[in-house]
Amino acid sequence: MALRLGFVGVGGIAQRHLNGAQAREDVEIVGHCDVDEARAKEVAAKFGGRAYTSPVELYDNEKPDAIVISTPPSAHGEIEEEACRRGIHFFVEKPVAVNMALAERVLRAAEASGVLTQVGYMYRKSAPIRQVQELLRGRALAMVQAHFYMPGLPGAPWYETMADSGGQLVEQATHMLDLGRFLAGDVRTVIGRTARVRDWTPPPGFQPQSGMRHFAEGFDIPDTTALILDYESGALGTLSCSIVPQGQWDVGFKVVAEGLLVTIDGPSARWTGDESGEATAAEDWPLAVLYEFLDCVIAGRQPSIPYVEGVKSLAVSLAGYESVARNAPVALADLLPQGVA
Ligand SMILES: NC(=O)c1ccc[n+]([C@@H]2O[C@H](COP(=O)([O-])OP(=O)(O)OC[C@H]3O[C@@H](n4cnc5c(N)ncnc54)[C@H](O)[C@@H]3O)[C@@H](O)[C@H]2O)c1
């Protein structure tokens, strides 16, 4: 029998997950929930299943085995908790929340229910990055240097406020902070600095365009951020991120390890030292994180990026902004829920 799959939040990134799910014969798409009813109906017409504006109605009417959650970061909470109450497994896009209190609430609900969870940290499932993880195993790590440069604000109209997105560290650079944890282990302390180096107010007569945005009303997030990270292993790390408009996306890492210098460029990697090589990610690499979730739900086993991993990576982002607020280093232990080390 096919896995009954529902979707909550069917905007931009959900289209990738919908197409990926539709391509699988062992999955039946049974319903879609979006606060934008027209969008839910449009997706239902294209991919099958019924349209809802309430997640609870989707859960109770369609009885999905699992759901894929792709809402804006500030919309999490009830969606996951009501799923847990009904034993519905969930895949959730990063970041899992914009604050630790809500992430902890959902974590406790997931733990109590025993549902299977996966967070959409897709870079962890890229084959070249997994190869790098193997190459680094057992080596002393010195420097984990990450960057996340974007050529402006994404199109969805909620990225520009702290309340809705959590800021670039929480919403976007979380990909690299999570990958740093994947490659180098947990972080002990974070020091952060933020800046806003340009005026994002739309000029008089400005006409919004499609694609990456260079102006936004109500913009209240830093546009440029730098972090220094102490890893528990003893390695040092840095993260530089900016949304100040320039020519292109540029996302990646340098990792300095004993005997090896690794360069990660998006999902691909190259390395040099006591061995050298390079690996390019397959074109469909972003689908692997969802497919692992679906395979695991069908087999009844926990996927490799459970909700608690999302909580721990969120804590690194929040520690960065908290460090700016306190003008002092912030220990992850101060932010993580009890029992999460
Ligand atoms: N892994 C990746 O590569 C990747 C890429 C893009 C976005 N994302 C993540 O996916 C999430 C969604 O981003 P997006 O770009 O698709 O945003 P989006 O704005 O295009 O889509 C979000 C959808 O959720 C709906 N929504 C809002 N509140 C809701 C609620 N309470 N219940 C149900 N639906 C609700 C909106 O109407 C919209 O259709 C974000 O967390 C983002 O970080 C991940």
Side-chain angles (χ1 to χ4, degrees), residues 148-305:
F148 204 104
Y149 300 134
M150 298 159 60
L153 271 173
W158 45 263
Y159 279 90
E160 56 267 37
T161 70
M162 279 311 241
D164 289 335
S165 71
Q168 193 195 6
L169 270 186
V170 168
E171 161 56 33
Q172 293 282 334
T174 184
H175 273 302
M176 294 301 112
L177 294 171
D178 178 73
L179 208 47
R181 291 188 49 249
F182 182 66
L183 296 174
D186 282 328
V187 171
R188 185 179 292 128
T189 57
V190 180
I191 297 173
R193 285 286 180 275
T194 56
R196 193 175 311 155
V197 305
R198 73 186 285 274
D199 187 358
W200 290 79
T201 313
F206 175 73
Q207 293 297 319
Q209 292 157 337
S210 60
M212 298 299 278
R213 291 175 295 149
H214 294 182
F215 299 101
E217 297 286 0
F219 185 101
D220 72 1
I221 61 177
D223 59 25
T224 302
T225 300
L227 302 183
I228 298 174
L229 305 108
D230 280 300
Y231 282 86
E232 288 182 356
S233 67
L236 293 180
T238 62
L239 171 87
S240 315
C241 66
S242 181
I243 54 174
V244 168
Q246 36 76 21
Q248 61 175 39
W249 288 79
D250 190 336
V251 171
F253 267 92
K254 291 269 187 202
V255 183
V256 179
E258 185 158 357
L260 206 66
L261 175 65
V262 177
T263 302
I264 293 176
D265 185 5
S268 299
R270 58 184 192 278
W271 52 91
T272 182
D274 52 30
E275 45 188 308
S276 57
E278 62 184 297
T280 303
E283 208 160 296
D284 63 351
W285 71 273
L287 272 181
V289 67
L290 175 68
Y291 279 10
E292 185 199 50
F293 170 72
L294 299 174
D295 291 341
C296 285
V297 171
I298 289 166
R301 58 170 201 274
Q302 175 57 53
S304 64
I305 319 174

Side-chain angles (χ1 to χ4, degrees), residues 91-160:
F91 172 100
V92 61
E93 265 300 347
K94 43 51 65 179
V96 295
V98 293
N99 62 63
M100 195 45 74
L102 193 130
E104 179 173 5
R105 240 177 59 196
V106 173
L107 176 67
R108 300 302 178 215
E111 283 172 349
S113 68
V115 297
L116 305 174
T117 56
Q118 173 97 315
V119 185
Y121 283 116
M122 60 186 186
Y123 287 93
R124 286 196 191 202
K125 307 309 296 181
S126 143
I129 287 174
R130 300 185 77 75
Q131 199 175 344
V132 165
Q133 190 194 40
E134 280 307 310
L135 284 166
L136 292 175
R137 204 179 291 281
R139 294 176 190 266
L141 297 183
M143 179 56 81
V144 182
Q145 176 205 327
H147 62 273
F148 204 104
Y149 300 134
M150 298 159 60
L153 271 173
W158 45 263
Y159 279 90
E160 56 267 37

Side-chain angles (χ1 to χ4, degrees), residues 8-14 16 33-36 39 70-73 75-76 79 93-95 120 122 156-159 171 175:
V8 182
V10 287
I13 197 60
R16 177 199 291 161
C33 164
D34 199 295
V35 289
D36 181 338
R39 195 172 277 175
S70 310
T71 61
H76 294 295
I79 295 165
E93 265 300 347
K94 43 51 65 179
M122 60 186 186
W158 45 263
Y159 279 90
E171 161 56 33
H175 273 302

Side-chain angles (χ1 to χ4, degrees), residues 21-32:
Q22 192 182 44
R24 288 188 51 142
E25 285 180 357
D26 51 0
V27 171
E28 181 188 357
I29 297 176
V30 296
H32 313 272

Side-chain angles (χ1 to χ4, degrees), residues 49-110:
R50 283 196 284 182
Y52 297 90
T53 53
S54 145
V56 169
E57 283 180 21
L58 163 67
Y59 302 160
D60 289 346
N61 290 346
E62 306 301 336
K63 305 263 185 301
D65 301 306
I67 51 165
V68 174
I69 305 167
S70 310
T71 61
S74 61
H76 294 295
E78 187 198 358
I79 295 165
E80 291 89 343
E81 288 173 310
E82 293 296 335
C84 290
R85 230 165 254 144
R86 291 163 177 76
I88 299 170
H89 310 294
F90 68 83
F91 172 100
V92 61
E93 265 300 347
K94 43 51 65 179
V96 295
V98 293
N99 62 63
M100 195 45 74
L102 193 130
E104 179 173 5
R105 240 177 59 196
V106 173
L107 176 67
R108 300 302 178 215

